[in-house]
Amino acid sequence: MHVAQLTIDPAFAIGAADRRLFGSFVEHMGRCVYGGVYEPGHPAADPLGLRRDVLDLTRELGVSVVRYPGGNFVSGYRWEDGVGPVGDRPRRLDLAWKTIETNAFGLNEFMTWAAEADVEPMMAVNLGTRGVQEACDLLEYANHPGGTQLSDLRRKHGAEQPYGVRLWCLGNELDGPWQVGHKTADEYGRLAAETARAMKLVDPSISLVACGSSNRQMPTFASWEATVLEHTYEHVDYISAHTYYDPSDGDRASVLASAVDMDHFITEVVATADHVAARQRQTRKLKISFDEWNVWYQSRLQQDLDRRGWVEAPALIEDNFTAVDAVVVGDLLITLLRHADRVGVACQAQLANVIAPIRTRTGGPAWRQSIFHPFALTARYARGTVLRTEPVCPDYETKRYGAVPVLDTVAVHDEEAGELTVFAVNRGAEALPLDLDLRGLPGLRGLEHLTLAAGDDPEAINTEAEPDRVTPRTLPTPASDAGRCSVRLPAVSWNVLRFTTRP
């Protein structure tokens, strides 16, 4: 049996574990909003129609920031439709998802929900069918204190104080031919630059995200980023990245190595951004907003779209996530942490029902999907400084990525609390002994070993009837002696190893 080795040393710091890495995404798609976060008349709904059970689970999940209102939806959205008296709001065709949008839930409801959920709002503006003026109008409505037509309109609508939204996305996936208002890199780059310049005149305190590629497989990948950043580098704070990993083909070995692709994606976007910075003599390092990522059985989407007409809030891509999917999500979180020096925001897509950690039944309960657990535990324990780890371990073969390390790890050191947390994924089909060298952090003792293992029942899912079938379990506490510790990682598992210097 192979034994893996890992050395932890606080000298190898990457950067702070930014709380914005634990973001989520609420889009007007399927039942994410209607029947998800918002359901008037539900037994758990408050007077505004916000589902309290979903709010409770959102807080438990540890979400820090939520991107809204899309996604593809935003590229045809008129923000004015979602403010003011609900009875006066228009019903519209949503071209992105072929549905009827009632606009019963809009900006004001979202901001109320965000405050209740204790999350930071991240707004997207429509640069598909609209432009500079509409983006500035939305920003003025949301952030200006008062004394203007739009800020006073917000106050008339019941929001006396400005919302103070600090994060703004300049459109969504406009490199994609599927996007309403699809543009070339030059067309988008110029529009984004002009919009960014104007928005920062309205509110200089905001941070802006330019659209990067929709995924690493796009034919324009990297050239899109280079061109867009040639236009926008001095005006924006982030470039976005989106990726989803599809287990539909049954190639489990490759799916378990999905984080290898995410790692390459981040590295390549950083290299492209730094190339533009060098060309323009920019000293500021641009960060990535990885504001859409998840496991997604994408082949099911077209079936959902093709089998119905124009309806309100249909069930779309309500994937049931397996134990293996949860291990993959845990590994993707490890990758995001490992790049904490250059990834400043990350949003798992989406929060409720639509490829989501939280599922609901309309009129019924809400429950945690398998992927809820690695997100919640990482958000809870990844506090402090991210440390670089270089595990020594065997490889295994995959069809998509070739030889891949069987072990993936990252460590986070909370010096103030006197705690070290090691996140580790065993991608292999056999249990993996792991020897840790902790001599760089004297005085540590084992506190907890949590594991979410998929080896025994890889296709297990959580359902309304069995909401806790896939859940982390506690293994024997890691025992350390003279700064060394040995643990056993179950086959196909995501693990949290916690240590403390406290008595």
Side-chain angles (χ1 to χ4, degrees), residues 86 194 222 272 449:
V86 173
E194 294 299 328
T272 305
H449 180 183

Side-chain angles (χ1 to χ4, degrees), residues 373-387:
H373 299 292
F375 190 108
L377 289 172
T378 305
R380 185 180 307 165
Y381 295 125
R383 295 178 182 270
T385 301
V386 180
L387 304 181

Side-chain angles (χ1 to χ4, degrees), residues 237-296:
D237 305 277
Y238 303 89
I239 183 80
S240 74
H242 293 175
T243 195
Y244 297 96
Y245 296 101
D246 190 348
S248 298
D249 64 1
D251 181 3
R252 183 171 296 155
S254 294
V255 168
L256 283 166
S258 296
V260 171
D261 179 81
M262 178 186 267
D263 189 85
H264 291 325
F265 194 177
I266 293 170
T267 301
E268 290 159 1
V269 173
V270 165
T272 305
D274 288 351
H275 167 75
V276 175
R279 282 175 50 86
Q280 296 187 357
R281 306 295 189 268
Q282 300 277 356
T283 58
R284 177 176 58 96
K285 294 292 187 184
L286 201 72
K287 289 198 170 187
I288 294 173
S289 175
F290 218 121
D291 45 48
E292 286 189 35
W293 68 269
N294 207 347
V295 174
W296 174 11

Side-chain angles (χ1 to χ4, degrees), residues 382-464:
R383 295 178 182 270
T385 301
V386 180
L387 304 181
R388 190 175 307 282
T389 58
E390 299 291 345
V392 178
C393 65
D395 291 341
Y396 77 103
E397 287 296 322
T398 69
K399 292 179 182 178
R400 294 183 205 169
Y401 310 115
V404 170
V406 73
L407 177 67
D408 197 18
T409 63
V410 76
V412 185
H413 180 217
D414 189 339
E415 185 174 10
E416 184 177 344
E419 293 189 358
L420 173 76
T421 302
V422 178
F423 300 95
V425 164
N426 176 12
R427 298 163 171 155
E430 297 180 357
L432 180 68
L434 172 62
D435 291 340
L436 294 103
D437 185 338
L438 305 173
R439 288 175 295 177
L441 290 162
L444 285 175
R445 65 174 181 84
L447 186 62
E448 190 174 31
H449 180 183
L450 298 169
T451 189
L452 199 158
D456 294 337
D457 193 358
E459 297 303 315
I461 62 172
N462 291 345
T463 63
E464 180 182 347

Side-chain angles (χ1 to χ4, degrees), residues 76-136:
Y77 183 49
R78 308 177 218 199
W79 68 267
E80 306 94 328
D81 290 349
V83 299
V86 173
D88 296 340
R89 298 181 190 177
R91 294 165 60 87
R92 302 279 192 193
L93 295 180
D94 167 32
L95 303 183
W97 304 117
K98 295 174 62 178
T99 60
I100 300 291
E101 174 55 52
T102 67
N103 287 300
F105 187 96
L107 174 63
N108 303 126
E109 288 78 16
F110 172 72
M111 295 303 301
T112 299
W113 178 87
E116 290 287 327
D118 193 25
V119 302
E120 178 185 4
M122 180 181 189
M123 293 296 300
V125 299
N126 176 1
L127 293 187
T129 60
R130 310 187 91 180
V132 177
Q133 188 61 62
E134 292 85 356
C136 288

